[in-house]
Structure formats: C-alpha cells, structure tokens
C-alpha cells in the first residue's frame, strides 16, 4: 500500500511545523554555491505545502529565516530575500487556487521594505482563504517573540488593563504572534540536526518531534507522509498515563 493510503484521515495533525535545514550542505555536495540549495529548497516548500493541504492539515508553519540568519554573508541574505519575493509573486495564484491563506510571524519590520510590502500584499490577498494557513516564520526567534509578549503584557499591567494575578498561560499566549493558531502537533526538522534552534519554544511544549536525515531540497510529499505516519503511531499523553488517554487499549 502506498504511504499516503496508510495515513489515518481521522488523525491528521492540525498543525505541522517544519525547520527546513540542509540547503547549504545539499549545494556543497553538488559542488554548487549555497544559494543553489535555497533555490532547490523552493521545490520542497511547494511539495510539502501541497501535500499538507491535500491531507487536510489546517496550519503549516515553515521556519524560513531566523533572526540569527541576518549574520550570514550579505550575498546569501540578499539571495534568500530575492527568492522569497519571487516565490511569493509566482505562487500567489497557486495559494488562491488551493484555498491557502498566507500568514507571517517574526520581526517583520526588519525585512527589506520590498520584501515586507510583497509579503503583506500576499497576506492581504489570501486572507479569506479557508482550507489551510501557511505561516512563514521570517526573521523569527522564539526568545524575541516571548520577550516581546512579556513587554506588551507589562505595558498592559502598567496601564491597569490587567492585574498581575490575572496572568496565566492562556493570557500570556494571547500576547504571542501565534495567538490565533493552535500549538503544533508535530515539528519536523530535516538534515539530521537534533536541535530546536530558537523556534516556537513556548508552543512546542507537548509537540511530537520528528527528525529526518534528508536535506531540505530533497524533501518530497512522501517525506511528509512518512512523518505523519510516524506521528500517528505515537501515543500523546500530555503528562497523563496511557490508561487515561487511551482507555480502549487497556480493556
Ligand atoms: C536552511 O538551510 C534553510 C534556510 C536558512 C532557508 C530556507 C529557505 C528556503 C527553503 C527557500 C525559500 C523559502 C520560501 C518559504 C519561499 P541552511 O542554509 O542552514 O543549510 P546548511 O545547514 O546545510 O548550511
């Protein structure tokens, strides 16, 4: 049976998050400049987005650029920004056709004005699409996001809008950029690195982690199917015991 058919349609993860890694190594292995790895990475973005939408995933978050990535050589940063603008322009039609809304998190004000304008335009144009939300994490750092949330919350406390003892997890999360998005069910990282790299630190408290050796530009639909099948075979206990979350398995 094909991988896709083995997937239980009743247990599709609502939110899939991905750390796309290994573009540089993919290029080096081919004797090409790093930028070529990013260019080929766009095909993987397309495949995973399409596969996720087809399966009924509601939220797909892709870590496209971290706050730390600004420190890369200028030509690589420029190439990545250019690639982003080109991809947004060339894919907006596909997003519309497939009912995908684009959303972005991160320090978006730090993006070059052209990238920022293009991004916001695509976000606006796709805002009413309902099938899936594609969230791009751009100039994103989880610690920045959490710090910013703390700052905003402190301002509201200072202004008398909230009392300190009214602050609970739910209230705190409402100050994060992901406030309207459920926590990821599965986080995938490619390229054989076993790190979180400052991605969605608050949100992944109970997320299932999945690592693959494959480099991002080699990722295809089947790789998402494999990750989801692996996820479906896990038991999520959220701190409880097996008998509590799956009484049927213990009768
Ligand atoms: C990580 O590989 C990848 C990135 C920093 C950029 C990801 C960008 C894309 C896939 C292309 C454009 C994206 C969109 C959403 C249109 P790396 O460079 O860290 O690889 P390395 O660890 O092998 O050096």
């Amino acid at each position: 049976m094909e991988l896709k058919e083995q997937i239980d349609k009743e247990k599709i993860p609502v939110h899939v998050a991905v750390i796309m890694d290994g573009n540089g190594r993919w290029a080096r292995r081919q004797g090409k400049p790093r930028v070529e790895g990013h260019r080929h990475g766009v095909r993987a973005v397309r495949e995973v987005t399409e596969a996720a939408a087809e399966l009924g995933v509601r939220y797909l978050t892709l870590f496209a650029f971290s706050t730390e990535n600004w420190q890369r050589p200028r030509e690589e940063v420029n190439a990545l920004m250019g690639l982003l603008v080109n991809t947004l322009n060339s894919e907006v039609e596909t997003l519309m056709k497939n009912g995908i809304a684009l959303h972005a998190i991160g320090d978006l004000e730090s993006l070059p004005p052209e990238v920022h304008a293009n991004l916001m335009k695509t976000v606006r144009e796709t805002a009413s699409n309902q099938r899936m939300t594609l969230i791009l994490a751009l100039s994103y750092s989880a610690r920045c996001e959490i710090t910013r949330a703390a700052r905003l919350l402190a301002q509201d406390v200072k202004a008398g809008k909230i009392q300190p003892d009214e602050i609970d997890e739910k209230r705190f999360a409402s100050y994060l950029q992901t406030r309207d998005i459920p926590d990821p069910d599965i986080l995938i990282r490619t390229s054989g690195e076993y790190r979180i790299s400052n991605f969605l630190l608050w949100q992944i408290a109970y997320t299932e982690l999945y690592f693959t050796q494959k480099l991002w530009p080699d990722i295809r639909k089947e790789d998402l199917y494999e990750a989801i099948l692996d996820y479906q075979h896990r038991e999520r206990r959220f701190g409880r015991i097996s008998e509590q979350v799956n009484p049927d398995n213990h009768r």
Side-chain angles (χ1 to χ4, degrees), residues 20-26 34 37-39 41-42 45 62-66 69 72 76 80 83-84 87-88 136 191 193 215-216:
M20 310 183 284
D21 196 12
N23 293 355
R25 275 162 288 165
W26 184 93
R34 292 179 56 83
H38 299 315
R39 280 201 194 105
V42 174
V45 169
L62 302 179
F63 200 2
F65 197 86
S66 74
N69 287 155
R72 291 191 175 192
E76 183 173 342
L80 271 168
L83 205 55
L84 194 69
T87 310
L88 287 173
L136 291 185
S191 90
E193 303 288 353
L215 304 177
W216 180 254

Side-chain angles (χ1 to χ4, degrees), residues 59-71:
Y59 301 90
L60 174 67
T61 302
L62 302 179
F63 200 2
F65 197 86
S66 74
T67 320
E68 292 76 22
N69 287 155
W70 291 114
Q71 291 157 30

